Amino acid sequence: MTTDAHPSAFEQLDLPDTSLARDTYAYAAQATPAFIHDHCVRSYVFARAHAQNQGLRAGTDYDDELLFVSCVLHDMGLSEEGNGDQRFEVDGADIAAAFLRERGVEERRIAVAWDAIALHTSDGIASRKGTEVALAQAGIATDILGVQRESLPPGLADEVHALLPRQDLAYGFSDAIITQAKIKPHKAPPTTFLGDLLRRHLPYGAYPSWYDLIAAAGWGDKPVGVTARRRAETPQQVGTLFMEYLEAGDIEGLVSLYEPNAHFVPTPGTHLVGTDAIRKAMQQMVDSGARLKLEPREIRQVDDVALVSNNAILTGVGPEPVVSTTTEILRRQPDGGWVHVVDDPFFS
């Protein structure tokens, strides 16, 4: 029997002490980096704690050995051996199934392990696929994102981390996905979190977003409902639309030119944050009969962020026109439109 990377792990963490569990542990330890392997073991310990918290009994309500095997093998798709041409979750499930089949595990149990591994990043699906699958996904999510960590027994996480240190797991895990996907982009479909990760590490516009896929579908679909309002296709158009919406008294049109948590300074010393506050400010401007004239000064665009400055003349809000030089930070949205992140006419 292969020696454990952590000789005391089975005893200290009370891991399932079966031949299959020991073989699985040793196989994954050899195939994956220590930070990945330790994450997989921690995921099992947290999954087992969630089971206990739900009143589930090992051997009666769920197959504890199968839960352990599924957790320990769930990231085999990030190993050199498991780096195939599918999503890493599916590659890992196939590798795990082959490993278990070689050891004579029944096909019905292999099918459960396959689902647990292939679906471990699928929120809302794994939880409906059976007890072992749901528990594995819950334990993995706890160790990566801290989901349900508050329900763990006091001191358990500290005990596990003392034996199996995190080693900045979440970032190392992300880097492993990106390393594979840069070479094989098809492993990170655009509509998955894998695609989102890859998109952030490629040149701007190199990897399609959901709205890019819609535009390229060839069916000619046009925006409807909440997406039907005219977008600012360039940073320059944001100011033009603002003037049009203000003159038309279109409150929601004005609000649509700001991100949900945007910052807006309607008057010197007044700093507003968020859609509700900005909507009230726009309502006041419309009610006062305000009009705005903007003349572009400078625009600096880097990928999907732009720094914009305009000469502004605001009338209708007082006895004299308000003259200012704006400082605006705009960001391109997933649908291709540009909106404000920061809008401060008085920053200078």
Side-chain angles (χ1 to χ4, degrees):
M1 187 176 297
T2 305
T3 301
D4 298 331
H6 301 284
S8 62
F10 273 84
E11 291 72 29
Q12 292 193 43
L13 296 177
D14 192 24
L15 303 180
D17 197 0
T18 67
S19 177
L20 178 61
R22 290 266 182 179
D23 286 350
T24 300
Y25 185 100
Y27 172 61
Q30 177 274 328
T32 56
F35 76 91
I36 290 288
H37 181 253
D38 290 354
H39 152 62
C40 293
V41 177
R42 288 195 306 268
S43 296
Y44 163 75
V45 176
F46 295 152
R48 183 178 61 188
H50 291 319
Q52 293 170 347
N53 192 48
Q54 296 171 34
L56 300 175
R57 296 165 295 172
T60 301
D61 299 312
Y62 68 94
D63 185 329
D64 191 42
E65 181 186 60
L66 187 57
L67 176 61
F68 177 80
V69 166
S70 299
C71 287
V72 171
L73 296 178
H74 84 265
D75 274 341
M76 283 299 298
L78 296 177
S79 68
E80 183 176 349
E81 177 185 358
N83 185 9
D85 290 321
Q86 306 168 101
R87 289 176 54 157
F88 87 95
E89 306 98 314
V90 179
D91 279 337
D94 287 347
I95 288 289
F99 171 83
L100 296 175
R101 196 166 287 119
E102 289 174 0
R103 280 149 185 82
V105 176
E106 301 102 311
E107 287 297 325
R108 63 175 182 82
R109 298 180 78 209
I110 292 174
V112 174
W114 194 96
D115 279 353
I117 296 169
L119 297 174
H120 77 264
T121 64
S122 299
D123 289 341
I125 299 176
S127 61
R128 301 288 296 274
K129 290 292 289 181
T131 305
E132 292 85 5
V133 178
L135 288 173
Q137 200 266 345
I140 294 163
T142 297
D143 197 50
I144 287 284
L145 298 175
V147 178
Q148 299 185 70
R149 61 180 294 184
E150 69 282 351
S151 69
L152 296 174
L156 176 63
D158 290 339
E159 176 188 351
V160 175
H161 287 137
L163 186 62
L164 305 174
R166 293 192 65 81
Q167 301 181 69
D168 298 316
L169 161 71
Y171 288 95
F173 164 80
S174 301
D175 289 346
I177 292 173
I178 294 162
T179 298
Q180 288 188 349
K182 279 187 172 181
I183 299 171
K184 301 177 180 180
H186 54 275
K187 290 176 66 69
T191 57
T192 66
F193 93 92
L194 310 171
D196 181 62
L197 264 180
L198 178 59
R199 189 177 297 114
R200 294 168 183 268
H201 292 268
L202 293 177
Y204 174 72
Y207 209 59
S209 68
W210 172 252
Y211 285 102
D212 293 328
L213 295 174
I214 291 174
W219 296 116
D221 293 349
K222 301 297 182 184
V224 297
V226 296
T227 62
R229 191 177 298 278
R230 189 151 59 99
R231 301 179 306 194
E233 301 292 341
T234 66
Q236 295 90 330
Q237 289 181 1
V238 173
T240 300
L241 287 178
F242 191 101
M243 290 186 288
E244 289 182 9
Y245 291 151
L246 182 62
E247 185 170 354
D250 185 350
I251 306 297
E252 295 308 313
L254 291 166
V255 172
S256 74
L257 298 176
Y258 294 81
E259 285 193 352
N261 293 315
H263 292 226
F264 176 47
V265 181
T267 59
T270 303
H271 189 186
L272 305 179
V273 179
T275 298
D276 291 342
I278 292 173
R279 180 178 287 108
K280 291 177 182 178
M282 296 304 173
Q283 184 69 63
Q284 292 174 357
M285 291 178 66
V286 168
D287 291 345
S288 71
R291 294 292 182 270
L292 181 66
K293 180 178 181 181
L294 295 173
E295 293 183 352
R297 291 182 65 248
E298 296 285 345
I299 295 179
R300 297 285 186 270
Q301 181 180 342
V302 179
D303 295 336
D304 58 353
V305 176
L307 175 64
V308 176
S309 179
N310 291 291
N311 292 320
I313 302 176
L314 180 66
T315 58
V317 295
E320 300 293 334
V322 178
V323 180
S324 66
T325 301
T326 72
T327 300
E328 306 167 41
I329 299 175
L330 311 178
R331 181 154 51 201
R332 183 180 182 269
Q333 303 299 291
D335 67 354
W338 288 84
V339 299
H340 287 101
V341 180
V342 176
D343 182 10
D344 188 344
F346 309 102
F347 186 80
S348 61

